[in-house]
Amino acid sequence: MSNKNRIYWVYWIVLTVGMTGYLIMQLTGEDKTVYLPGKTSHGHYQIEMACSACHTDPLGGGEVLQDACMGCHGEELERADDSHPKSKFTNPRNADRVAKLDARKCITCHTEHREEITLEMGVSLPNDFCFKCHEDVAENRPSHVGMEFNTCASAGCHNFHDNRGLYEDFLAKHLDEPAYLKKASVKPLSAGKAYELINSYPVAAYPIKSLTINDADTPADVRNDPKVMQDWLASSHSKAGVNCTACHMQSSAETKEKIWKEKPGYQVCESCHESQVKGFLASRHGMRLAQDLSAMTPGQARLDMKKNAHDRELSCTSCHGSHQFDKKHAAVDGCLACHDDKHSNQYKQSKHFTLWHKEVTGQAEANTGVSCATCHLPRKQSRHENGTFVSSEHNQNDNLRPNEKMLRSVCMQCHGLEFSIDSLADRKLIEKNFSSKPDVHIKSLDLVRQRKDLKKDIEGM
Amino acid sequence: MKHKILLLISSMIGSAVLLSACGGSETKSGGVSPQVMADSLFSVMEADRTVYTKLIIGRLAKEEKVIKASEHWKDEKALVLPAQMFRYGAERVAEKGAPFSYSLLSLWPVNKQNKPKTEIEKKGLNFIAENPGKNFYAEEELGGTRYFTAVYPDVGVASACVSCHNKHKDSPRTDFKIGEVMGGVVIRIPL
């Protein structure tokens, strides 16, 4: 071997070893950027470094991915009465349709890491896909003659998955409702009932009674900060007997012995507020924690965030404060401390805010104001061990994209259906945070109105 | 209570269907022909369907009027329609990975996805409509697999069937009579 060749070999070996070392480091460290095949969609980019969240088996193909999708999104689809579940496509009579568009698999439309074909909702779609199964729709719906197939899902009338607020009989039932309903309020939260709902609630250690400053059970070596005491005394925790140690004394992972923890994590909140923490972990706020990644910070967000908030780490206490746990603060100021986009910044000029202001200043009844949380963390009925209760959905993304998901749980609590559909379709109005009436009109209710000969399929049975 | 009834019935259908599937797969040892298997499956489906329509819908919705049956059963807090009961069962069977599949179709469908699609479905539904009391059997190839396909008449066994379809805004036919063929059950077994 000539000297020159030998040098090339040395170069090659050094380069290969170096490269391998680098790739291994990337694979084992938190930053796995080199392995990303393309820009991740806004729904998943936060957890893109937890490759195994989706790629559960490095050798797995589409089926493995499908399981991963359903693992996180399956429950939501079921709740949404998914109009096109996989089970509608597995029958062999649909083999020709599946050959054209394999609707059995999420990734047929929801391609990840392909920014160039990813549309606004995080999905890549052939824009006339409805045609493949519903090409004859105009035969039975004369009103649909001449409508283009790329408008089914983009004109505010239909969605592929969630049509709970859009199906024909629902529109018929809510035809001609006024824009503003007489009774405009949301369900009251069933607050402070955790102890009744959870069998394992430690009533013996923390009896249900209002506590005073003298009851505070902080260990002698922990300094009693007057501000902390004041916040705790004002909170519903102190009023329900939730003493300092209830949250701060936690079993150590190694010795299992109870030790004082300065900053307890979401796991502590979860022991009483399970459904809220579940929502949080599924949300843009908590999805990184759910994957054992470091907490989300506004600095990592793709939405506009306030500069001074960039390094804040998101946990339950970022919105709720660590001792006051004031829901009213969390419902507006908690959000506006970080969010800095047009919609958020317009909120305080909106009628919704006026109503909220009236509520919190005691000029209007409870549950008649509209805070950020009223729409983005809407009230929902949940089940606990011992019954149902009303809590707020802590996954703020649950009713967005497509935003018609808000119709039933939010808008229609106070507005008529038609007004609600039109408002949600008006992009400019959303930017202005609903500070005027909608300029957009969706025709679906007009079509239902025209179909006057609606025969009730249920009545008269 | 009604949830319990539904659960019970759906699990009955499911288990009956699955049990018959297990029996059917033992072709090696004695040979159950695809036709015998399809016929057996159909007898279970038809029995459950009739029981649901008569004992649940007919009794509770039509006679006693304690609860309605509605396509939008969740929103209306109502009973699921017989056709939905049937389809949800079929979907569950498919989710469990059973090799056979079945569906409820019609030449006069309320839900346009229930109209015949394949040539054999068209032939079969026409045959059972024109030859009351007879079944239709054929073979067809779909998505690269050959199937034994059987089509059985679905008869309006109760007045609930007929009145609801005749009045439904999406029904293309409004003159169904009790005892008439309203559609067909299509069962497919891969060969």
Side-chain angles (χ1 to χ4, degrees), chain A residues 81 92-93 96-97 134 136 140 167 169 408 451 454-455 457 460, chain B residues 68-69 71-72 74-75 101 112-113 115 117 121 167-170:
Chain A
D81 297 332
R93 67 192 299 263
D96 58 331
R97 291 171 167 175
H134 302 277
D136 58 354
N140 310 294
Y167 68 82
D169 290 343
R408 294 174 62 139
R451 228 178 158 219
L454 280 182
K455 289 193 228 157
D457 51 339
Chain B
K68 287 182 192 173
E71 217 168 319
H72 314 296
K74 212 178 198 178
D75 278 353
S101 62
K112 302 306 170 251
Q113 297 301 321
K115 72 177 185 190
K117 247 180 100 230
E121 285 176 356
K167 271 191 281 184
H168 197 283
K169 64 183 187 308
D170 291 327

PDB file of all heavy atoms in Angstrom, chain A residues 81 92-93 96-97 134 136 140 167 169 408 451 454-455 457 460, chain B residues 68-69 71-72 74-75 101 112-113 115 117 121 167-170:
ATOM      1  N   ASP A  81     -67.557  10.553  17.988  1.00  0.00           N
ATOM      2  CA  ASP A  81     -68.378   9.722  17.099  1.00  0.00           C
ATOM      3  C   ASP A  81     -67.806   9.733  15.699  1.00  0.00           C
ATOM      4  O   ASP A  81     -68.533   9.974  14.720  1.00  0.00           O
ATOM      5  CB  ASP A  81     -69.840  10.242  17.033  1.00  0.00           C
ATOM      6  CG  ASP A  81     -70.517  10.167  18.373  1.00  0.00           C
ATOM      7  OD1 ASP A  81     -70.138   9.301  19.153  1.00  0.00           O
ATOM      8  OD2 ASP A  81     -71.412  10.997  18.641  1.00  0.00           O
ATOM      9  N   PRO A  92     -64.581  -6.320   2.921  1.00  0.00           N
ATOM     10  CA  PRO A  92     -64.010  -6.481   1.571  1.00  0.00           C
ATOM     11  C   PRO A  92     -64.789  -5.744   0.478  1.00  0.00           C
ATOM     12  O   PRO A  92     -64.227  -5.441  -0.577  1.00  0.00           O
ATOM     13  CB  PRO A  92     -64.023  -7.991   1.336  1.00  0.00           C
ATOM     14  CG  PRO A  92     -64.662  -8.613   2.516  1.00  0.00           C
ATOM     15  CD  PRO A  92     -64.814  -7.596   3.589  1.00  0.00           C
ATOM     16  N   ARG A  93     -66.071  -5.433   0.731  1.00  0.00           N
ATOM     17  CA  ARG A  93     -66.824  -4.710  -0.309  1.00  0.00           C
ATOM     18  C   ARG A  93     -66.233  -3.321  -0.541  1.00  0.00           C
ATOM     19  O   ARG A  93     -66.526  -2.664  -1.531  1.00  0.00           O
ATOM     20  CB  ARG A  93     -68.313  -4.633   0.029  1.00  0.00           C
ATOM     21  CG  ARG A  93     -68.672  -3.786   1.236  1.00  0.00           C
ATOM     22  CD  ARG A  93     -70.118  -4.029   1.629  1.00  0.00           C
ATOM     23  NE  ARG A  93     -71.027  -3.674   0.553  1.00  0.00           N
ATOM     24  CZ  ARG A  93     -71.676  -2.518   0.456  1.00  0.00           C
ATOM     25  NH1 ARG A  93     -71.513  -1.591   1.365  1.00  0.00           N
ATOM     26  NH2 ARG A  93     -72.494  -2.288  -0.553  1.00  0.00           N
ATOM     27  N   ASP A  96     -62.069  -1.837  -3.212  1.00  0.00           N
ATOM     28  CA  ASP A  96     -61.703  -0.918  -4.314  1.00  0.00           C
ATOM     29  C   ASP A  96     -61.483   0.502  -3.792  1.00  0.00           C
ATOM     30  O   ASP A  96     -60.618   1.226  -4.263  1.00  0.00           O
ATOM     31  CB  ASP A  96     -62.786  -0.934  -5.397  1.00  0.00           C
ATOM     32  CG  ASP A  96     -64.149  -0.545  -4.853  1.00  0.00           C
ATOM     33  OD1 ASP A  96     -64.411  -0.787  -3.645  1.00  0.00           O
ATOM     34  OD2 ASP A  96     -64.961   0.016  -5.613  1.00  0.00           O
ATOM     35  N   ARG A  97     -62.263   0.879  -2.783  1.00  0.00           N
ATOM     36  CA  ARG A  97     -62.097   2.220  -2.210  1.00  0.00           C
ATOM     37  C   ARG A  97     -60.773   2.312  -1.465  1.00  0.00           C
ATOM     38  O   ARG A  97     -60.041   3.301  -1.587  1.00  0.00           O
ATOM     39  CB  ARG A  97     -63.221   2.511  -1.230  1.00  0.00           C
ATOM     40  CG  ARG A  97     -64.542   2.673  -1.940  1.00  0.00           C
ATOM     41  CD  ARG A  97     -65.654   2.734  -0.927  1.00  0.00           C
ATOM     42  NE  ARG A  97     -66.874   3.193  -1.571  1.00  0.00           N
ATOM     43  CZ  ARG A  97     -68.033   3.254  -0.961  1.00  0.00           C
ATOM     44  NH1 ARG A  97     -68.125   2.892   0.295  1.00  0.00           N
ATOM     45  NH2 ARG A  97     -69.091   3.694  -1.600  1.00  0.00           N
ATOM     46  N   HIS A 134     -68.386   9.207  -2.253  1.00  0.00           N
ATOM     47  CA  HIS A 134     -69.685   9.891  -2.271  1.00  0.00           C
ATOM     48  C   HIS A 134     -69.950  10.572  -3.611  1.00  0.00           C
ATOM     49  O   HIS A 134     -70.564  11.636  -3.655  1.00  0.00           O
ATOM     50  CB  HIS A 134     -69.751  10.919  -1.134  1.00  0.00           C
ATOM     51  CG  HIS A 134     -69.535  10.327   0.230  1.00  0.00           C
ATOM     52  ND1 HIS A 134     -70.549   9.727   0.934  1.00  0.00           N
ATOM     53  CD2 HIS A 134     -68.435  10.217   1.008  1.00  0.00           C
ATOM     54  CE1 HIS A 134     -70.079   9.285   2.103  1.00  0.00           C
ATOM     55  NE2 HIS A 134     -68.787   9.566   2.167  1.00  0.00           N
ATOM     56  N   ASP A 136     -71.956  10.053  -5.869  1.00  0.00           N
ATOM     57  CA  ASP A 136     -73.344  10.169  -6.311  1.00  0.00           C
ATOM     58  C   ASP A 136     -74.197  11.040  -5.387  1.00  0.00           C
ATOM     59  O   ASP A 136     -75.414  11.000  -5.438  1.00  0.00           O
ATOM     60  CB  ASP A 136     -73.955   8.772  -6.396  1.00  0.00           C
ATOM     61  CG  ASP A 136     -73.882   8.041  -5.061  1.00  0.00           C
ATOM     62  OD1 ASP A 136     -73.255   8.593  -4.123  1.00  0.00           O
ATOM     63  OD2 ASP A 136     -74.441   6.938  -4.948  1.00  0.00           O
ATOM     64  N   ASN A 140     -79.166  12.201  -4.651  1.00  0.00           N
ATOM     65  CA  ASN A 140     -80.146  12.219  -3.566  1.00  0.00           C
ATOM     66  C   ASN A 140     -80.272  13.582  -2.911  1.00  0.00           C
ATOM     67  O   ASN A 140     -81.136  13.804  -2.097  1.00  0.00           O
ATOM     68  CB  ASN A 140     -79.757  11.206  -2.495  1.00  0.00           C
ATOM     69  CG  ASN A 140     -79.461   9.857  -3.103  1.00  0.00           C
ATOM     70  OD1 ASN A 140     -80.349   9.222  -3.641  1.00  0.00           O
ATOM     71  ND2 ASN A 140     -78.196   9.465  -3.072  1.00  0.00           N
ATOM     72  N   TYR A 167     -74.291  17.463  11.569  1.00  0.00           N
ATOM     73  CA  TYR A 167     -75.124  16.520  10.808  1.00  0.00           C
ATOM     74  C   TYR A 167     -76.519  17.086  10.579  1.00  0.00           C
ATOM     75  O   TYR A 167     -77.010  17.905  11.350  1.00  0.00           O
ATOM     76  CB  TYR A 167     -75.120  15.135  11.454  1.00  0.00           C
ATOM     77  CG  TYR A 167     -75.791  14.997  12.799  1.00  0.00           C
ATOM     78  CD1 TYR A 167     -77.176  14.842  12.898  1.00  0.00           C
ATOM     79  CD2 TYR A 167     -75.057  14.988  13.968  1.00  0.00           C
ATOM     80  CE1 TYR A 167     -77.800  14.683  14.122  1.00  0.00           C
ATOM     81  CE2 TYR A 167     -75.667  14.835  15.205  1.00  0.00           C
ATOM     82  CZ  TYR A 167     -77.045  14.686  15.272  1.00  0.00           C
ATOM     83  OH  TYR A 167     -77.665  14.530  16.487  1.00  0.00           O
ATOM     84  N   ASP A 169     -79.765  16.307  10.760  1.00  0.00           N
ATOM     85  CA  ASP A 169     -80.861  16.379  11.721  1.00  0.00           C
ATOM     86  C   ASP A 169     -80.543  17.323  12.880  1.00  0.00           C
ATOM     87  O   ASP A 169     -81.438  17.900  13.491  1.00  0.00           O
ATOM     88  CB  ASP A 169     -81.199  14.987  12.258  1.00  0.00           C
ATOM     89  CG  ASP A 169     -81.842  14.129  11.174  1.00  0.00           C
ATOM     90  OD1 ASP A 169     -82.306  14.703  10.169  1.00  0.00           O
ATOM     91  OD2 ASP A 169     -81.870  12.887  11.316  1.00  0.00           O
ATOM     92  N   ARG A 408     -70.740  22.649  19.939  1.00  0.00           N
ATOM     93  CA  ARG A 408     -71.638  22.140  20.980  1.00  0.00           C
ATOM     94  C   ARG A 408     -71.145  22.436  22.380  1.00  0.00           C
ATOM     95  O   ARG A 408     -71.923  22.836  23.243  1.00  0.00           O
ATOM     96  CB  ARG A 408     -71.836  20.643  20.794  1.00  0.00           C
ATOM     97  CG  ARG A 408     -72.566  20.331  19.520  1.00  0.00           C
ATOM     98  CD  ARG A 408     -72.637  18.862  19.283  1.00  0.00           C
ATOM     99  NE  ARG A 408     -73.375  18.195  20.329  1.00  0.00           N
ATOM    100  CZ  ARG A 408     -74.233  17.216  20.109  1.00  0.00           C
ATOM    101  NH1 ARG A 408     -74.467  16.809  18.900  1.00  0.00           N
ATOM    102  NH2 ARG A 408     -74.846  16.645  21.102  1.00  0.00           N
ATOM    103  N   ARG A 451     -84.994  22.102   2.487  1.00  0.00           N
ATOM    104  CA  ARG A 451     -85.503  20.735   2.492  1.00  0.00           C
ATOM    105  C   ARG A 451     -86.667  20.647   3.471  1.00  0.00           C
ATOM    106  O   ARG A 451     -86.691  19.825   4.381  1.00  0.00           O
ATOM    107  CB  ARG A 451     -84.380  19.789   2.898  1.00  0.00           C
ATOM    108  CG  ARG A 451     -84.267  18.599   1.976  1.00  0.00           C
ATOM    109  CD  ARG A 451     -83.133  17.709   2.363  1.00  0.00           C
ATOM    110  NE  ARG A 451     -83.380  16.385   1.820  1.00  0.00           N
ATOM    111  CZ  ARG A 451     -83.123  15.262   2.449  1.00  0.00           C
ATOM    112  NH1 ARG A 451     -82.595  15.287   3.641  1.00  0.00           N
ATOM    113  NH2 ARG A 451     -83.367  14.100   1.888  1.00  0.00           N
ATOM    114  N   LEU A 454     -88.805  17.860   5.429  1.00  0.00           N
ATOM    115  CA  LEU A 454     -88.158  16.982   6.396  1.00  0.00           C
ATOM    116  C   LEU A 454     -89.200  16.141   7.110  1.00  0.00           C
ATOM    117  O   LEU A 454     -90.072  16.676   7.777  1.00  0.00           O
ATOM    118  CB  LEU A 454     -87.463  17.833   7.466  1.00  0.00           C
ATOM    119  CG  LEU A 454     -86.121  18.435   7.157  1.00  0.00           C
ATOM    120  CD1 LEU A 454     -85.627  19.192   8.373  1.00  0.00           C
ATOM    121  CD2 LEU A 454     -85.157  17.352   6.784  1.00  0.00           C
ATOM    122  N   LYS A 455     -89.057  14.833   6.943  1.00  0.00           N
ATOM    123  CA  LYS A 455     -89.992  13.995   7.688  1.00  0.00           C
ATOM    124  C   LYS A 455     -89.265  13.495   8.908  1.00  0.00           C
ATOM    125  O   LYS A 455     -88.147  13.030   8.818  1.00  0.00           O
ATOM    126  CB  LYS A 455     -90.443  12.834   6.819  1.00  0.00           C
ATOM    127  CG  LYS A 455     -91.356  13.253   5.705  1.00  0.00           C
ATOM    128  CD  LYS A 455     -91.988  12.006   5.130  1.00  0.00           C
ATOM    129  CE  LYS A 455     -91.896  11.989   3.616  1.00  0.00           C
ATOM    130  NZ  LYS A 455     -91.979  10.655   3.060  1.00  0.00           N
ATOM    131  N   ASP A 457     -87.984  11.056  11.305  1.00  0.00           N
ATOM    132  CA  ASP A 457     -87.889   9.596  11.253  1.00  0.00           C
ATOM    133  C   ASP A 457     -88.193   8.966  12.607  1.00  0.00           C
ATOM    134  O   ASP A 457     -88.455   7.792  12.708  1.00  0.00           O
ATOM    135  CB  ASP A 457     -86.505   9.166  10.794  1.00  0.00           C
ATOM    136  CG  ASP A 457     -85.413   9.829  11.582  1.00  0.00           C
ATOM    137  OD1 ASP A 457     -85.701  10.883  12.173  1.00  0.00           O
ATOM    138  OD2 ASP A 457     -84.301   9.312  11.622  1.00  0.00           O
ATOM    139  N   GLY A 460     -93.800   9.533  15.678  1.00  0.00           N
ATOM    140  CA  GLY A 460     -94.861   8.785  15.028  1.00  0.00           C
ATOM    141  C   GLY A 460     -94.526   7.316  14.929  1.00  0.00           C
ATOM    142  O   GLY A 460     -95.239   6.545  14.305  1.00  0.00           O
TER     143      GLY A 460
ATOM    144  N   LYS B  68     -87.613   6.195  22.655  1.00  0.00           N
ATOM    145  CA  LYS B  68     -87.640   6.208  21.193  1.00  0.00           C
ATOM    146  C   LYS B  68     -86.464   5.425  20.637  1.00  0.00           C
ATOM    147  O   LYS B  68     -85.512   5.124  21.356  1.00  0.00           O
ATOM    148  CB  LYS B  68     -87.509   7.640  20.690  1.00  0.00           C
ATOM    149  CG  LYS B  68     -88.732   8.486  20.889  1.00  0.00           C
ATOM    150  CD  LYS B  68     -88.430   9.850  20.283  1.00  0.00           C
ATOM    151  CE  LYS B  68     -89.465  10.877  20.679  1.00  0.00           C
ATOM    152  NZ  LYS B  68     -89.029  12.204  20.209  1.00  0.00           N
ATOM    153  N   ALA B  69     -86.546   5.129  19.348  1.00  0.00           N
ATOM    154  CA  ALA B  69     -85.391   4.591  18.639  1.00  0.00           C
ATOM    155  C   ALA B  69     -84.959   5.680  17.679  1.00  0.00           C
ATOM    156  O   ALA B  69     -85.796   6.292  17.034  1.00  0.00           O
ATOM    157  CB  ALA B  69     -85.773   3.347  17.855  1.00  0.00           C
ATOM    158  N   GLU B  71     -81.674   7.218  14.955  1.00  0.00           N
ATOM    159  CA  GLU B  71     -80.376   7.198  14.314  1.00  0.00           C
ATOM    160  C   GLU B  71     -79.357   7.929  15.192  1.00  0.00           C
ATOM    161  O   GLU B  71     -78.216   7.553  15.269  1.00  0.00           O
ATOM    162  CB  GLU B  71     -80.554   8.003  13.020  1.00  0.00           C
ATOM    163  CG  GLU B  71     -79.836   7.539  11.840  1.00  0.00           C
ATOM    164  CD  GLU B  71     -80.388   8.276  10.618  1.00  0.00           C
ATOM    165  OE1 GLU B  71     -81.628   8.462  10.516  1.00  0.00           O
ATOM    166  OE2 GLU B  71     -79.580   8.666   9.780  1.00  0.00           O
ATOM    167  N   HIS B  72     -79.808   8.999  15.839  1.00  0.00           N
ATOM    168  CA  HIS B  72     -78.906   9.801  16.680  1.00  0.00           C
ATOM    169  C   HIS B  72     -79.155   9.455  18.136  1.00  0.00           C
ATOM    170  O   HIS B  72     -79.490  10.283  18.955  1.00  0.00           O
ATOM    171  CB  HIS B  72     -79.132  11.288  16.404  1.00  0.00           C
ATOM    172  CG  HIS B  72     -79.197  11.581  14.943  1.00  0.00           C
ATOM    173  ND1 HIS B  72     -78.123  11.389  14.117  1.00  0.00           N
ATOM    174  CD2 HIS B  72     -80.222  11.971  14.157  1.00  0.00           C
ATOM    175  CE1 HIS B  72     -78.482  11.672  12.872  1.00  0.00           C
ATOM    176  NE2 HIS B  72     -79.739  12.029  12.869  1.00  0.00           N
ATOM    177  N   LYS B  74     -77.377   8.707  20.605  1.00  0.00           N
ATOM    178  CA  LYS B  74     -76.592   9.285  21.686  1.00  0.00           C
ATOM    179  C   LYS B  74     -77.180  10.655  22.060  1.00  0.00           C
ATOM    180  O   LYS B  74     -77.460  10.920  23.218  1.00  0.00           O
ATOM    181  CB  LYS B  74     -75.153   9.452  21.212  1.00  0.00           C
ATOM    182  CG  LYS B  74     -74.130   9.290  22.306  1.00  0.00           C
ATOM    183  CD  LYS B  74     -72.761   9.426  21.688  1.00  0.00           C
ATOM    184  CE  LYS B  74     -71.657   8.887  22.534  1.00  0.00           C
ATOM    185  NZ  LYS B  74     -70.377   9.015  21.819  1.00  0.00           N
ATOM    186  N   ASP B  75     -77.369  11.502  21.038  1.00  0.00           N
ATOM    187  CA  ASP B  75     -77.921  12.826  21.293  1.00  0.00           C
ATOM    188  C   ASP B  75     -79.345  12.766  21.813  1.00  0.00           C
ATOM    189  O   ASP B  75     -79.743  13.562  22.647  1.00  0.00           O
ATOM    190  CB  ASP B  75     -77.915  13.661  20.000  1.00  0.00           C
ATOM    191  CG  ASP B  75     -76.547  14.278  19.767  1.00  0.00           C
ATOM    192  OD1 ASP B  75     -75.694  14.161  20.662  1.00  0.00           O
ATOM    193  OD2 ASP B  75     -76.335  14.862  18.694  1.00  0.00           O
ATOM    194  N   SER B 101     -67.036 -11.537   6.939  1.00  0.00           N
ATOM    195  CA  SER B 101     -67.580 -10.194   7.138  1.00  0.00           C
ATOM    196  C   SER B 101     -69.031 -10.199   6.699  1.00  0.00           C
ATOM    197  O   SER B 101     -69.452 -11.070   5.941  1.00  0.00           O
ATOM    198  CB  SER B 101     -66.786  -9.180   6.310  1.00  0.00           C
ATOM    199  OG  SER B 101     -66.919  -9.513   4.945  1.00  0.00           O
ATOM    200  N   LYS B 112     -77.106   5.805   1.811  1.00  0.00           N
ATOM    201  CA  LYS B 112     -76.668   5.461   0.450  1.00  0.00           C
ATOM    202  C   LYS B 112     -75.425   4.578   0.424  1.00  0.00           C
ATOM    203  O   LYS B 112     -75.096   3.985  -0.586  1.00  0.00           O
ATOM    204  CB  LYS B 112     -76.432   6.733  -0.379  1.00  0.00           C
ATOM    205  CG  LYS B 112     -77.667   7.634  -0.469  1.00  0.00           C
ATOM    206  CD  LYS B 112     -78.903   6.876  -0.979  1.00  0.00           C
ATOM    207  CE  LYS B 112     -80.172   7.699  -0.843  1.00  0.00           C
ATOM    208  NZ  LYS B 112     -81.118   7.257   0.174  1.00  0.00           N
ATOM    209  N   GLN B 113     -74.719   4.523   1.554  1.00  0.00           N
ATOM    210  CA  GLN B 113     -73.569   3.614   1.614  1.00  0.00           C
ATOM    211  C   GLN B 113     -74.035   2.153   1.693  1.00  0.00           C
ATOM    212  O   GLN B 113     -73.231   1.239   1.574  1.00  0.00           O
ATOM    213  CB  GLN B 113     -72.682   3.937   2.821  1.00  0.00           C
ATOM    214  CG  GLN B 113     -72.056   5.324   2.793  1.00  0.00           C
ATOM    215  CD  GLN B 113     -71.184   5.555   1.559  1.00  0.00           C
ATOM    216  OE1 GLN B 113     -70.470   4.676   1.127  1.00  0.00           O
ATOM    217  NE2 GLN B 113     -71.272   6.747   0.983  1.00  0.00           N
ATOM    218  N   LYS B 115     -76.174   0.813  -0.403  1.00  0.00           N
ATOM    219  CA  LYS B 115     -76.686   0.310  -1.681  1.00  0.00           C
ATOM    220  C   LYS B 115     -75.670  -0.688  -2.235  1.00  0.00           C
ATOM    221  O   LYS B 115     -74.490  -0.651  -1.876  1.00  0.00           O
ATOM    222  CB  LYS B 115     -76.940   1.464  -2.645  1.00  0.00           C
ATOM    223  CG  LYS B 115     -75.709   2.106  -3.208  1.00  0.00           C
ATOM    224  CD  LYS B 115     -76.101   3.182  -4.207  1.00  0.00           C
ATOM    225  CE  LYS B 115     -74.844   3.739  -4.848  1.00  0.00           C
ATOM    226  NZ  LYS B 115     -75.076   4.918  -5.652  1.00  0.00           N
ATOM    227  N   LYS B 117     -72.865  -2.530  -4.269  1.00  0.00           N
ATOM    228  CA  LYS B 117     -71.705  -1.950  -4.941  1.00  0.00           C
ATOM    229  C   LYS B 117     -71.095  -2.916  -5.943  1.00  0.00           C
ATOM    230  O   LYS B 117     -70.828  -2.557  -7.072  1.00  0.00           O
ATOM    231  CB  LYS B 117     -70.652  -1.591  -3.871  1.00  0.00           C
ATOM    232  CG  LYS B 117     -70.413  -0.119  -3.719  1.00  0.00           C
ATOM    233  CD  LYS B 117     -69.373   0.133  -2.645  1.00  0.00           C
ATOM    234  CE  LYS B 117     -68.039   0.394  -3.278  1.00  0.00           C
ATOM    235  NZ  LYS B 117     -66.948  -0.388  -2.750  1.00  0.00           N
ATOM    236  N   GLU B 121     -73.316  -8.255  -5.457  1.00  0.00           N
ATOM    237  CA  GLU B 121     -74.298  -7.651  -4.548  1.00  0.00           C
ATOM    238  C   GLU B 121     -75.546  -7.226  -5.326  1.00  0.00           C
ATOM    239  O   GLU B 121     -76.684  -7.455  -4.891  1.00  0.00           O
ATOM    240  CB  GLU B 121     -73.703  -6.425  -3.842  1.00  0.00           C
ATOM    241  CG  GLU B 121     -72.720  -6.774  -2.738  1.00  0.00           C
ATOM    242  CD  GLU B 121     -72.041  -5.560  -2.098  1.00  0.00           C
ATOM    243  OE1 GLU B 121     -72.267  -4.418  -2.565  1.00  0.00           O
ATOM    244  OE2 GLU B 121     -71.285  -5.759  -1.152  1.00  0.00           O
ATOM    245  N   LYS B 167     -91.496   6.340   6.297  1.00  0.00           N
ATOM    246  CA  LYS B 167     -91.598   7.750   6.684  1.00  0.00           C
ATOM    247  C   LYS B 167     -90.262   8.488   6.653  1.00  0.00           C
ATOM    248  O   LYS B 167     -90.215   9.706   6.788  1.00  0.00           O
ATOM    249  CB  LYS B 167     -92.172   7.840   8.106  1.00  0.00           C
ATOM    250  CG  LYS B 167     -93.688   7.894   8.103  1.00  0.00           C
ATOM    251  CD  LYS B 167     -94.216   8.252   9.476  1.00  0.00           C
ATOM    252  CE  LYS B 167     -94.182   7.048  10.372  1.00  0.00           C
ATOM    253  NZ  LYS B 167     -94.725   7.174  11.678  1.00  0.00           N
ATOM    254  N   HIS B 168     -89.181   7.740   6.508  1.00  0.00           N
ATOM    255  CA  HIS B 168     -87.861   8.374   6.640  1.00  0.00           C
ATOM    256  C   HIS B 168     -87.590   9.312   5.471  1.00  0.00           C
ATOM    257  O   HIS B 168     -87.832   8.964   4.315  1.00  0.00           O
ATOM    258  CB  HIS B 168     -86.769   7.309   6.721  1.00  0.00           C
ATOM    259  CG  HIS B 168     -85.481   7.845   7.259  1.00  0.00           C
ATOM    260  ND1 HIS B 168     -84.631   8.603   6.485  1.00  0.00           N
ATOM    261  CD2 HIS B 168     -84.923   7.756   8.482  1.00  0.00           C
ATOM    262  CE1 HIS B 168     -83.584   8.946   7.228  1.00  0.00           C
ATOM    263  NE2 HIS B 168     -83.743   8.448   8.442  1.00  0.00           N
ATOM    264  N   LYS B 169     -87.069  10.498   5.765  1.00  0.00           N
ATOM    265  CA  LYS B 169     -86.884  11.511   4.719  1.00  0.00           C
ATOM    266  C   LYS B 169     -85.889  11.072   3.655  1.00  0.00           C
ATOM    267  O   LYS B 169     -85.911  11.561   2.534  1.00  0.00           O
ATOM    268  CB  LYS B 169     -86.448  12.846   5.325  1.00  0.00           C
ATOM    269  CG  LYS B 169     -85.101  12.802   6.015  1.00  0.00           C
ATOM    270  CD  LYS B 169     -84.780  14.146   6.637  1.00  0.00           C
ATOM    271  CE  LYS B 169     -83.361  14.205   7.183  1.00  0.00           C
ATOM    272  NZ  LYS B 169     -82.999  13.109   8.089  1.00  0.00           N
ATOM    273  N   ASP B 170     -85.004  10.145   3.990  1.00  0.00           N
ATOM    274  CA  ASP B 170     -84.019   9.717   3.005  1.00  0.00           C
ATOM    275  C   ASP B 170     -84.373   8.388   2.344  1.00  0.00           C
ATOM    276  O   ASP B 170     -83.577   7.840   1.598  1.00  0.00           O
ATOM    277  CB  ASP B 170     -82.640   9.594   3.669  1.00  0.00           C
ATOM    278  CG  ASP B 170     -82.081  10.948   4.067  1.00  0.00           C
ATOM    279  OD1 ASP B 170     -82.364  11.921   3.346  1.00  0.00           O
ATOM    280  OD2 ASP B 170     -81.402  11.038   5.103  1.00  0.00           O
TER     281      ASP B 170
END
